[in-house]
Coordinates of all heavy atoms in Angstrom, one line a residue:
V7 N 3.2 55.8 -67.4 CA 3.7 54.4 -67.2 C 3.0 53.9 -65.9 O 3.2 54.5 -64.9 CB 5.2 54.4 -67.1 CG1 5.7 53.0 -66.9 CG2 5.8 55.0 -68.3
L8 N 2.5 52.8 -66.1 CA 1.8 52.2 -64.9 C 2.8 51.2 -64.3 O 3.4 50.4 -65.0 CB 0.6 51.4 -65.3 CG -0.6 52.3 -65.8 CD1 -1.7 51.4 -66.3 CD2 -1.1 53.2 -64.7
T9 N 3.0 51.3 -63.0 CA 3.8 50.3 -62.3 C 3.0 49.4 -61.6 O 1.9 49.7 -61.0 CB 4.7 51.1 -61.3 OG1 3.9 51.7 -60.4 CG2 5.7 52.0 -62.0
H10 N 3.5 48.2 -61.6 CA 2.7 47.1 -60.9 C 3.1 47.1 -59.5 O 4.3 47.0 -59.1 CB 3.1 45.8 -61.6 CG 2.3 44.6 -61.0 ND1 1.3 44.7 -60.1 CD2 2.4 43.3 -61.2 CE1 0.8 43.5 -59.8 NE2 1.5 42.7 -60.5
V11 N 2.1 47.3 -58.6 CA 2.4 47.3 -57.2 C 1.9 46.0 -56.6 O 0.8 45.6 -56.8 CB 1.6 48.5 -56.6 CG1 1.8 48.5 -55.1 CG2 2.0 49.8 -57.2
N12 N 2.8 45.4 -55.8 CA 2.4 44.1 -55.2 C 1.5 44.4 -54.0 O 2.0 45.1 -53.0 CB 3.6 43.4 -54.7 CG 4.4 42.8 -55.9 OD1 3.8 42.6 -57.0 ND2 5.7 42.6 -55.8
T13 N 0.3 44.1 -54.1 CA -0.6 44.3 -53.0 C -1.0 43.0 -52.4 O -1.2 42.0 -53.1 CB -1.8 45.1 -53.4 OG1 -2.5 44.3 -54.4 CG2 -1.5 46.4 -53.9
L14 N -1.0 42.9 -51.1 CA -1.4 41.7 -50.4 C -2.9 41.8 -50.2 O -3.5 42.8 -49.8 CB -0.8 41.7 -49.0 CG 0.7 41.5 -49.0 CD1 1.2 41.5 -47.5 CD2 1.1 40.2 -49.6
Q15 N -3.5 40.8 -50.6 CA -5.0 40.7 -50.5 C -5.3 39.9 -49.2 O -5.0 38.8 -49.1 CB -5.6 40.0 -51.7 CG -5.5 40.8 -53.0 CD -6.1 40.1 -54.1 OE1 -6.5 38.9 -54.0 NE2 -6.2 40.8 -55.3
L16 N -5.9 40.6 -48.3 CA -6.2 39.9 -47.0 C -7.6 39.5 -47.1 O -8.6 40.3 -47.3 CB -6.0 40.9 -45.9 CG -4.6 41.4 -45.7 CD1 -4.6 42.5 -44.6 CD2 -3.7 40.2 -45.3
T17 N -7.8 38.2 -47.0 CA -9.2 37.7 -47.1 C -9.5 37.0 -45.7 O -8.6 36.4 -45.1 CB -9.3 36.6 -48.2 OG1 -8.4 35.6 -48.0 CG2 -9.1 37.2 -49.5
P18 N -10.7 37.1 -45.2 CA -11.0 36.5 -44.0 C -10.9 35.0 -44.1 O -11.3 34.4 -45.1 CB -12.4 36.9 -43.7 CG -12.9 37.4 -44.9 CD -11.8 37.8 -45.8
R19 N -10.2 34.3 -43.2 CA -10.0 32.9 -43.2 C -10.9 32.2 -42.2 O -11.1 32.6 -41.1 CB -8.5 32.7 -42.8 CG -8.0 31.3 -43.1 CD -6.6 31.2 -42.9 NE -6.1 29.9 -43.2 CZ -4.9 29.4 -43.0 NH1 -4.1 30.2 -42.4 NH2 -4.6 28.2 -43.3
K20 N -11.4 31.1 -42.7 CA -12.3 30.3 -41.8 C -11.4 29.4 -41.0 O -10.6 28.6 -41.5 CB -13.3 29.5 -42.7 CG -14.3 30.3 -43.4 CD -15.2 29.4 -44.2 CE -16.2 30.3 -45.0 NZ -17.0 29.4 -45.9
F21 N -11.6 29.5 -39.7 CA -10.8 28.7 -38.8 C -11.5 27.3 -38.5 O -12.6 27.3 -38.0 CB -10.5 29.4 -37.5 CG -9.6 30.5 -37.7 CD1 -10.0 31.8 -37.7 CD2 -8.2 30.3 -37.8 CE1 -9.2 32.9 -37.8 CE2 -7.4 31.4 -38.0 CZ -7.8 32.7 -38.0
S22 N -10.8 26.3 -38.8 CA -11.3 24.9 -38.5 C -10.2 24.1 -37.9 O -9.1 24.2 -38.4 CB -11.9 24.3 -39.7 OG -10.9 24.0 -40.7
F23 N -10.5 23.5 -36.8 CA -9.4 22.7 -36.1 C -9.4 21.3 -36.7 O -10.3 20.6 -36.8 CB -9.7 22.6 -34.6 CG -8.6 21.9 -33.9 CD1 -7.4 22.5 -33.6 CD2 -8.8 20.7 -33.4 CE1 -6.4 21.9 -32.9 CE2 -7.8 20.0 -32.7 CZ -6.6 20.6 -32.5
R24 N -8.2 20.9 -37.2 CA -8.0 19.6 -37.7 C -7.0 18.9 -36.7 O -6.1 19.6 -36.1 CB -7.4 19.6 -39.1 CG -8.4 20.2 -40.1 CD -7.9 20.1 -41.5 NE -8.6 20.9 -42.4 CZ -8.1 21.8 -43.2 NH1 -6.8 22.0 -43.2 NH2 -8.9 22.5 -43.9
A25 N -7.0 17.6 -36.7 CA -6.1 16.9 -35.9 C -4.6 17.1 -36.3 O -3.7 17.1 -35.5 CB -6.4 15.4 -35.9
S26 N -4.4 17.3 -37.6 CA -3.1 17.5 -38.1 C -2.5 18.8 -37.7 O -1.3 19.0 -37.5 CB -3.0 17.3 -39.6 OG -3.9 18.3 -40.2
E27 N -3.4 19.8 -37.5 CA -3.0 21.1 -37.1 C -3.1 21.2 -35.6 O -4.2 21.4 -35.1 CB -3.9 22.2 -37.7 CG -3.8 22.3 -39.2 CD -4.8 23.3 -39.7 OE1 -5.5 23.9 -38.9 OE2 -4.9 23.5 -40.9
S28 N -2.1 21.0 -34.9 CA -2.2 21.0 -33.4 C -1.7 22.3 -32.9 O -0.7 22.9 -33.4 CB -1.4 19.8 -32.8 OG 0.0 20.0 -33.1
L29 N -2.3 22.8 -31.9 CA -1.9 24.0 -31.3 C -0.7 23.8 -30.3 O -0.6 22.6 -29.8 CB -3.1 24.6 -30.5 CG -4.3 24.9 -31.3 CD1 -5.4 25.4 -30.4 CD2 -4.0 26.1 -32.3
P30 N 0.1 24.7 -30.1 CA 1.2 24.5 -29.1 C 0.6 24.3 -27.7 O -0.3 24.9 -27.3 CB 2.0 25.8 -29.2 CG 1.1 26.8 -29.8 CD 0.1 26.1 -30.7
R31 N 1.2 23.3 -27.1 CA 0.7 22.9 -25.8 C 1.7 23.2 -24.7 O 2.9 23.3 -25.0 CB 0.4 21.4 -25.8 CG -0.7 21.0 -26.7 CD -1.0 19.6 -26.6 NE -2.2 19.3 -27.4 CZ -2.5 18.2 -28.0 NH1 -1.7 17.2 -27.8 NH2 -3.6 18.0 -28.7
P32 N 1.3 23.4 -23.5 CA 2.2 23.7 -22.4 C 3.2 22.6 -22.2 O 2.9 21.4 -22.6 CB 1.4 24.0 -21.2 CG 0.0 23.5 -21.5 CD -0.1 23.4 -23.0
S33 N 4.3 22.9 -21.7 CA 5.4 21.9 -21.5 C 4.9 20.8 -20.5 O 5.4 19.7 -20.5 CB 6.7 22.5 -21.0 OG 6.4 23.2 -19.8
S34 N 4.0 21.1 -19.6 CA 3.6 20.1 -18.6 C 2.5 19.2 -19.2 O 2.0 18.3 -18.4 CB 3.0 20.8 -17.4 OG 1.9 21.6 -17.7
F35 N 2.2 19.3 -20.4 CA 1.1 18.5 -21.0 C 1.4 17.0 -21.0 O 0.5 16.2 -20.7 CB 0.8 19.0 -22.4 CG -0.3 18.2 -23.1 CD1 -1.7 18.4 -22.7 CD2 -0.1 17.2 -24.0 CE1 -2.7 17.7 -23.3 CE2 -1.1 16.5 -24.6 CZ -2.4 16.7 -24.2
H36 N 2.6 16.7 -21.3 CA 3.0 15.3 -21.4 C 3.4 14.6 -20.1 O 3.7 13.5 -20.1 CB 4.1 15.1 -22.5 CG 3.6 15.4 -23.9 ND1 2.7 14.6 -24.5 CD2 3.8 16.4 -24.7 CE1 2.4 15.1 -25.7 NE2 3.1 16.2 -25.8
S37 N 3.5 15.4 -19.0 CA 3.9 14.8 -17.8 C 2.8 14.0 -17.2 O 1.7 14.3 -17.3 CB 4.3 15.9 -16.8 OG 3.2 16.6 -16.4
P38 N 3.2 12.8 -16.6 CA 2.2 11.9 -16.1 C 1.3 12.5 -15.0 O 0.1 12.1 -14.8 CB 3.0 10.7 -15.5 CG 4.3 10.8 -16.1 CD 4.5 12.3 -16.4
S39 N 1.9 13.4 -14.2 CA 1.1 13.9 -13.0 C -0.1 14.8 -13.5 O -1.1 14.9 -12.9 CB 2.0 14.6 -12.1 OG 2.6 15.7 -12.8
S40 N 0.1 15.5 -14.6 CA -0.9 16.4 -15.0 C -2.1 15.7 -15.7 O -3.2 16.2 -15.6 CB -0.4 17.5 -16.0 OG 0.1 16.8 -17.2
T41 N -1.8 14.6 -16.3 CA -2.9 13.8 -17.0 C -3.6 12.7 -16.1 O -4.6 12.2 -16.5 CB -2.4 13.2 -18.3 OG1 -1.4 12.3 -18.0 CG2 -1.9 14.3 -19.3
G42 N -2.9 12.3 -15.1 CA -3.4 11.3 -14.2 C -3.0 9.9 -14.7 O -3.3 8.9 -14.1
F43 N -2.2 9.8 -15.8 CA -1.7 8.6 -16.4 C -0.5 8.2 -15.7 O 0.4 9.0 -15.5 CB -1.5 8.8 -17.9 CG -0.8 7.6 -18.5 CD1 -1.5 6.4 -18.8 CD2 0.5 7.6 -18.8 CE1 -0.9 5.4 -19.3 CE2 1.1 6.5 -19.3 CZ 0.4 5.4 -19.6
K44 N -0.4 6.9 -15.3 CA 0.8 6.4 -14.6 C 1.3 5.2 -15.4 O 0.4 4.4 -15.8 CB 0.6 6.1 -13.2 CG 0.4 7.4 -12.4 CD 0.4 7.1 -10.9 CE 0.2 8.4 -10.1 NZ 0.2 8.2 -8.7
M45 N 2.6 5.0 -15.4 CA 3.1 3.8 -16.1 C 2.8 2.6 -15.2 O 2.8 2.7 -14.0 CB 4.6 3.9 -16.3 CG 5.0 5.0 -17.2 SD 4.6 4.6 -18.9 CE 5.8 3.3 -19.2
A46 N 2.7 1.4 -15.8 CA 2.4 0.2 -15.0 C 3.7 -0.2 -14.3 O 4.8 0.0 -14.8 CB 2.0 -0.9 -16.0
K47 N 3.5 -0.7 -13.1 CA 4.7 -1.1 -12.3 C 5.2 -2.4 -12.9 O 4.4 -3.3 -13.2 CB 4.3 -1.3 -10.8 CG 4.0 0.0 -10.1 CD 3.4 -0.3 -8.7 CE 4.5 -1.0 -7.9 NZ 4.0 -1.1 -6.5
S48 N 6.5 -2.6 -13.0 CA 7.0 -3.8 -13.5 C 7.3 -4.8 -12.4 O 7.4 -6.0 -12.7 CB 8.3 -3.5 -14.3 OG 9.2 -2.9 -13.5
K49 N 7.5 -4.4 -11.2 CA 7.8 -5.3 -10.1 C 6.8 -5.1 -9.0 O 6.7 -4.0 -8.5 CB 9.2 -5.0 -9.6 CG 9.7 -6.1 -8.6 CD 11.0 -5.8 -8.0 CE 11.9 -4.8 -8.6 NZ 13.2 -4.7 -8.0
N50 N 6.1 -6.2 -8.6 CA 5.1 -6.0 -7.6 C 5.6 -6.4 -6.2 O 5.2 -5.9 -5.2 CB 3.9 -6.9 -7.9 CG 3.1 -6.4 -9.1 OD1 3.0 -5.2 -9.2 ND2 2.6 -7.2 -9.9
H51 N 6.5 -7.4 -6.1 CA 7.0 -7.8 -4.8 C 8.4 -8.5 -5.0 O 8.7 -9.1 -6.0 CB 6.1 -8.8 -4.2 CG 6.5 -9.4 -3.0 ND1 6.6 -8.7 -1.8 CD2 7.0 -10.7 -2.7 CE1 7.1 -9.5 -0.8 NE2 7.4 -10.7 -1.3
T52 N 9.2 -8.3 -4.0 CA 10.5 -9.0 -3.9 C 10.8 -9.2 -2.5 O 10.5 -8.4 -1.6 CB 11.6 -8.2 -4.6 OG1 12.8 -8.9 -4.5 CG2 11.8 -6.8 -4.0
S53 N 11.5 -10.4 -2.2 CA 11.9 -10.7 -0.8 C 13.4 -10.6 -0.7 O 14.0 -11.2 0.2 CB 11.4 -12.1 -0.4 OG 12.0 -13.0 -1.3
H54 N 14.0 -9.8 -1.6 CA 15.4 -9.6 -1.5 C 15.9 -9.1 -0.2 O 15.3 -8.1 0.3 CB 15.9 -8.7 -2.7 CG 17.3 -8.4 -2.7 ND1 18.3 -9.3 -3.0 CD2 18.0 -7.3 -2.4 CE1 19.5 -8.8 -2.9 NE2 19.3 -7.5 -2.5
N55 N 16.9 -9.7 0.4 CA 17.5 -9.2 1.6 C 16.7 -9.5 2.9 O 17.2 -9.2 4.0 CB 17.9 -7.8 1.5 CG 19.1 -7.4 2.5 OD1 20.0 -8.2 2.7 ND2 19.0 -6.3 3.1
Q56 N 15.4 -9.9 2.8 CA 14.6 -10.0 4.0 C 15.1 -11.2 4.8 O 15.1 -11.1 6.1 CB 13.1 -10.3 3.6 CG 12.5 -9.1 2.7 CD 12.7 -7.8 3.4 OE1 12.4 -7.6 4.6 NE2 13.3 -6.8 2.6
N57 N 15.5 -12.3 4.2 CA 16.0 -13.4 5.0 C 17.3 -13.1 5.8 O 17.4 -13.4 6.9 CB 16.3 -14.6 4.0 CG 16.0 -15.9 4.7 OD1 15.4 -16.0 5.7 ND2 16.6 -16.9 4.1
R58 N 18.2 -12.3 5.2 CA 19.4 -11.9 5.8 C 19.1 -11.0 7.0 O 19.7 -11.1 8.1 CB 20.3 -11.2 4.8 CG 21.6 -10.8 5.4 CD 22.6 -10.3 4.3 NE 23.9 -10.0 4.8 CZ 24.3 -8.9 5.3 NH1 23.5 -7.8 5.4 NH2 25.5 -8.8 5.7
K59 N 18.2 -10.0 6.8 CA 17.8 -9.1 7.9 C 17.2 -9.9 9.1 O 17.5 -9.6 10.2 CB 16.8 -8.1 7.3 CG 17.4 -7.0 6.6 CD 16.4 -6.2 5.8 CE 15.2 -5.7 6.6 NZ 14.3 -4.9 5.8
A60 N 16.4 -10.9 8.8 CA 15.7 -11.7 9.8 C 16.7 -12.5 10.6 O 16.6 -12.6 11.8 CB 14.7 -12.6 9.2
H61 N 17.8 -13.0 10.0 CA 18.7 -13.8 10.7 C 19.9 -13.0 11.3 O 20.7 -13.6 12.0 CB 19.3 -14.8 9.7 CG 18.4 -15.9 9.4 ND1 17.4 -15.9 8.5 CD2 18.3 -17.2 10.0 CE1 16.7 -17.0 8.5 NE2 17.2 -17.8 9.4
R62 N 19.9 -11.7 11.2 CA 21.0 -11.0 11.8 C 20.9 -11.0 13.3 O 21.9 -11.2 14.0 CB 21.0 -9.5 11.3 CG 21.6 -9.4 10.0 CD 21.6 -7.9 9.5 NE 22.7 -7.3 10.3 CZ 23.6 -6.4 9.8 NH1 23.5 -6.1 8.5 NH2 24.5 -5.9 10.5
N63 N 19.7 -11.0 13.9 CA 19.5 -11.1 15.3 C 19.0 -12.5 15.7 O 18.7 -12.7 16.8 CB 18.5 -10.0 15.8 CG 19.1 -8.6 15.7 OD1 20.3 -8.5 16.0 ND2 18.3 -7.7 15.3
G64 N 18.9 -13.3 14.7 CA 18.5 -14.7 14.9 C 17.0 -14.8 14.9 O 16.3 -13.9 15.3
I65 N 16.6 -16.0 14.4 CA 15.1 -16.3 14.5 C 14.9 -17.0 15.8 O 15.4 -18.0 16.1 CB 14.8 -17.3 13.3 CG1 15.2 -16.8 12.0 CG2 13.3 -17.6 13.3 CD1 14.3 -15.7 11.4
K66 N 14.1 -16.4 16.7 CA 13.9 -16.9 18.0 C 12.5 -17.5 18.1 O 11.6 -17.0 17.5 CB 14.0 -15.7 19.0 CG 15.4 -15.1 19.0 CD 15.5 -14.0 20.1 CE 16.8 -13.5 20.2 NZ 17.1 -12.4 19.2
K67 N 12.4 -18.5 18.9 CA 11.1 -19.1 19.2 C 10.4 -18.2 20.2 O 11.0 -17.6 21.0 CB 11.3 -20.5 19.8 CG 11.8 -21.6 18.9 CD 11.8 -22.9 19.6 CE 12.3 -24.0 18.6 NZ 12.4 -25.3 19.3
P68 N 9.1 -18.2 20.2 CA 8.4 -17.4 21.2 C 8.6 -18.0 22.6 O 8.7 -19.2 22.7 CB 6.9 -17.6 20.8 CG 6.8 -18.7 19.8 CD 8.2 -18.9 19.2
Q69 N 8.7 -17.1 23.5 CA 8.9 -17.5 24.9 C 7.8 -18.3 25.4 O 6.6 -17.9 25.3 CB 9.2 -16.4 25.8 CG 10.5 -15.6 25.5 CD 10.8 -14.5 26.4 OE1 9.9 -14.1 27.2 NE2 12.0 -14.0 26.4
K70 N 8.1 -19.4 26.1 CA 7.0 -20.2 26.7 C 6.9 -19.8 28.2 O 7.8 -19.8 28.9 CB 7.4 -21.7 26.6 CG 7.5 -22.2 25.2 CD 6.8 -23.4 24.9 CE 6.9 -23.7 23.5 NZ 6.2 -24.8 23.0
H71 N 5.7 -19.5 28.6 CA 5.4 -19.1 30.0 C 4.9 -20.3 30.7 O 4.2 -21.1 30.2 CB 4.5 -17.9 30.0 CG 5.0 -16.7 29.3 ND1 6.0 -15.9 29.7 CD2 4.6 -16.2 28.1 CE1 6.2 -14.9 28.9 NE2 5.4 -15.1 27.8
R72 N 5.2 -20.2 32.1 CA 4.7 -21.3 32.9 C 3.2 -21.4 33.0 O 2.6 -22.4 33.0 CB 5.4 -21.2 34.3 CG 5.0 -22.3 35.2 CD 5.9 -22.3 36.4 NE 5.5 -23.4 37.3 CZ 6.2 -23.9 38.3 NH1 7.4 -23.3 38.5 NH2 5.9 -24.9 39.0
Y73 N 2.6 -20.2 33.2 CA 1.1 -20.1 33.3 C 0.6 -19.3 32.2 O 1.1 -18.2 31.9 CB 0.8 -19.5 34.7 CG 1.2 -20.3 35.8 CD1 2.3 -19.9 36.6 CD2 0.6 -21.5 36.1 CE1 2.7 -20.6 37.7 CE2 1.1 -22.3 37.2 CZ 2.1 -21.8 38.0 OH 2.6 -22.6 39.0
H74 N -0.5 -19.7 31.6 CA -1.2 -19.0 30.6 C -2.0 -17.9 31.3 O -2.5 -18.0 32.4 CB -2.1 -19.8 29.8 CG -1.4 -20.8 28.9 ND1 -0.8 -20.5 27.8 CD2 -1.2 -22.2 29.0 CE1 -0.2 -21.5 27.2 NE2 -0.5 -22.6 28.0
A75 N -2.2 -16.8 30.6 CA -3.0 -15.7 31.1 C -4.5 -16.1 31.2 O -5.0 -16.8 30.3 CB -2.9 -14.4 30.3
V76 N -5.1 -15.8 32.3 CA -6.5 -16.2 32.5 C -7.4 -15.0 32.3 O -8.7 -15.1 32.4 CB -6.8 -16.8 33.9 CG1 -6.1 -18.1 34.0 CG2 -6.4 -15.9 35.0
R77 N -6.9 -13.8 32.1 CA -7.7 -12.6 31.9 C -8.5 -12.8 30.6 O -8.0 -13.2 29.5 CB -6.8 -11.4 31.7 CG -7.6 -10.1 31.6 CD -6.9 -9.1 30.9 NE -6.1 -8.2 31.7 CZ -5.2 -7.3 31.3 NH1 -5.0 -7.2 30.0 NH2 -4.6 -6.6 32.1
G78 N -9.8 -12.6 30.7 CA -10.6 -12.7 29.5 C -11.3 -14.1 29.3 O -12.1 -14.3 28.5
M79 N -10.9 -15.0 30.2 CA -11.4 -16.4 30.1 C -12.8 -16.3 30.8 O -13.2 -15.4 31.5 CB -10.6 -17.4 30.8 CG -9.4 -17.8 30.0 SD -8.6 -19.3 30.8 CE -7.3 -19.5 29.7
D80 N -13.6 -17.4 30.5 CA -14.9 -17.5 31.0 C -14.8 -17.6 32.6 O -14.2 -18.5 33.1 CB -15.6 -18.8 30.5 CG -17.0 -18.9 30.9 OD1 -17.6 -17.9 31.2 OD2 -17.5 -20.1 30.9
P81 N -15.5 -16.7 33.3 CA -15.4 -16.7 34.8 C -16.0 -18.0 35.4 O -15.5 -18.5 36.4 CB -16.2 -15.5 35.3 CG -16.7 -14.8 34.1 CD -16.3 -15.6 32.9
K82 N -17.0 -18.6 34.8 CA -17.5 -19.8 35.3 C -16.5 -21.0 35.2 O -16.4 -21.8 36.1 CB -18.8 -20.2 34.5 CG -19.6 -21.3 35.1 CD -20.9 -21.4 34.2 CE -21.7 -22.6 34.7 NZ -23.0 -22.7 33.9
F83 N -15.8 -21.0 34.1 CA -14.8 -22.0 33.9 C -13.7 -21.8 34.9 O -13.1 -22.8 35.5 CB -14.2 -21.9 32.5 CG -13.0 -22.7 32.3 CD1 -13.0 -24.1 32.1 CD2 -11.8 -22.1 32.2 CE1 -11.9 -24.8 31.9 CE2 -10.6 -22.8 32.0 CZ -10.7 -24.2 31.9
L84 N -13.2 -20.6 35.1 CA -12.1 -20.3 36.0 C -12.5 -20.7 37.5 O -11.6 -21.2 38.2 CB -11.7 -18.8 36.0 CG -11.1 -18.4 34.7 CD1 -10.9 -16.9 34.7 CD2 -9.8 -19.1 34.5
R85 N -13.7 -20.4 37.9 CA -14.1 -20.8 39.2 C -14.1 -22.3 39.4 O -13.6 -22.8 40.4 CB -15.6 -20.2 39.5 CG -16.0 -20.2 40.9 CD -17.3 -19.5 41.2 NE -17.5 -18.3 40.4 CZ -18.5 -18.2 39.4 NH1 -19.2 -19.2 39.0 NH2 -18.6 -17.1 38.7
N86 N -14.6 -23.0 38.4 CA -14.6 -24.5 38.5 C -13.2 -25.0 38.5 O -12.8 -25.9 39.2 CB -15.4 -25.0 37.3 CG -15.5 -26.5 37.4 OD1 -15.9 -27.0 38.5 ND2 -15.2 -27.2 36.4
Q87 N -12.3 -24.4 37.7 CA -10.9 -24.8 37.7 C -10.2 -24.6 39.0 O -9.4 -25.4 39.5 CB -10.2 -24.0 36.6 CG -8.8 -24.5 36.3 CD -8.1 -23.7 35.2 OE1 -8.2 -22.4 35.2 NE2 -7.3 -24.3 34.3
R88 N -10.5 -23.5 39.7 CA -10.0 -23.2 41.0 C -10.4 -24.3 42.0 O -9.5 -24.8 42.8 CB -10.4 -21.8 41.4 CG -9.6 -21.3 42.6 CD -9.9 -19.8 42.8 NE -11.2 -19.5 43.1 CZ -12.0 -18.7 42.3 NH1 -11.5 -18.1 41.2 NH2 -13.3 -18.4 42.6
Y89 N -11.6 -24.6 42.0 CA -12.1 -25.7 42.9 C -11.5 -27.0 42.6 O -11.1 -27.8 43.5 CB -13.6 -25.8 42.9 CG -14.4 -24.6 43.3 CD1 -15.5 -24.1 42.7 CD2 -13.9 -23.8 44.5 CE1 -16.2 -23.0 43.2 CE2 -14.6 -22.7 44.9 CZ -15.7 -22.3 44.3 OH -16.3 -21.2 44.7
A90 N -11.3 -27.3 41.3 CA -10.8 -28.6 40.9 C -9.3 -28.7 41.3 O -8.9 -29.7 41.9 CB -10.9 -28.8 39.4
K91 N -8.6 -27.6 41.2 CA -7.2 -27.6 41.6 C -7.1 -27.8 43.2 O -6.3 -28.5 43.7 CB -6.5 -26.3 41.3 CG -6.1 -26.2 39.8 CD -5.4 -24.9 39.5 CE -5.1 -24.8 38.0 NZ -4.5 -23.5 37.7
K92 N -8.0 -27.1 43.9 CA -8.0 -27.1 45.3 C -8.3 -28.6 45.8 O -7.6 -29.1 46.7 CB -9.0 -26.2 45.9 CG -9.2 -26.1 47.3 CD -10.3 -25.1 47.6 CE -10.7 -25.2 49.1 NZ -11.8 -24.2 49.3
H93 N -9.3 -29.2 45.3 CA -9.6 -30.6 45.7 C -8.7 -31.6 45.2 O -8.5 -32.7 45.8 CB -11.1 -30.9 45.4 CG -12.1 -29.9 46.1 ND1 -12.2 -30.0 47.4 CD2 -12.9 -29.0 45.6 CE1 -13.1 -29.0 47.8 NE2 -13.5 -28.4 46.7
N94 N -8.1 -31.4 44.1 CA -7.1 -32.3 43.6 C -5.8 -32.3 44.5 O -5.3 -33.4 44.7 CB -6.7 -31.9 42.1 CG -5.9 -33.0 41.4 OD1 -6.0 -34.1 41.8 ND2 -5.1 -32.6 40.5
A95 N -5.5 -31.2 45.0 CA -4.3 -31.1 45.9 C -4.7 -31.8 47.3 O -3.8 -32.4 47.9 CB -4.0 -29.7 46.2
Q96 N -5.9 -31.8 47.7 CA -6.3 -32.5 49.0 C -6.2 -34.0 48.9 O -5.9 -34.6 49.8 CB -7.7 -32.0 49.4 CG -7.8 -30.6 49.8 CD -9.2 -30.1 50.2 OE1 -10.1 -30.9 50.0 NE2 -9.3 -28.9 50.7
K97 N -6.5 -34.5 47.7 CA -6.5 -36.0 47.5 C -5.1 -36.5 47.5 O -4.9 -37.7 48.0 CB -7.2 -36.4 46.2 CG -8.7 -36.2 46.2 CD -9.2 -36.7 44.9 CE -10.7 -36.5 44.8 NZ -11.3 -36.9 43.5
K98 N -4.1 -35.8 47.1 CA -2.7 -36.2 47.1 C -2.2 -36.4 48.5 O -1.3 -37.2 48.7 CB -1.9 -35.3 46.3 CG -2.1 -35.3 44.8 CD -1.1 -34.4 44.1 CE -1.4 -34.4 42.6 NZ -0.6 -33.5 41.9
E99 N -2.7 -35.8 49.5 CA -2.2 -35.9 50.8 C -2.4 -37.2 51.5 O -2.8 -38.2 51.4 CB -2.8 -34.8 51.7 CG -2.4 -33.5 51.4 CD -3.1 -32.4 52.3 OE1 -3.9 -32.8 53.1 OE2 -2.8 -31.3 52.1

């Protein structure tokens, strides 16, 4: 009596990669940092609370000084200005 034996026939399979057959990917594949992809920012600028912060210590005018700084001014102009002030004071006497 012949018995039928189930035998598995192993045939060499040609491997071809198709888009539908995806290989398992690491868990970090979809994270934005690994691919360099970043979501677009939805808000570029807001001035929320800035006005309140500015007024907490008050909006102050810049201090006015009696004399302007002469450092960095043209020396020829300063020399002439010094002589003009000197001789203008002499005429008032």
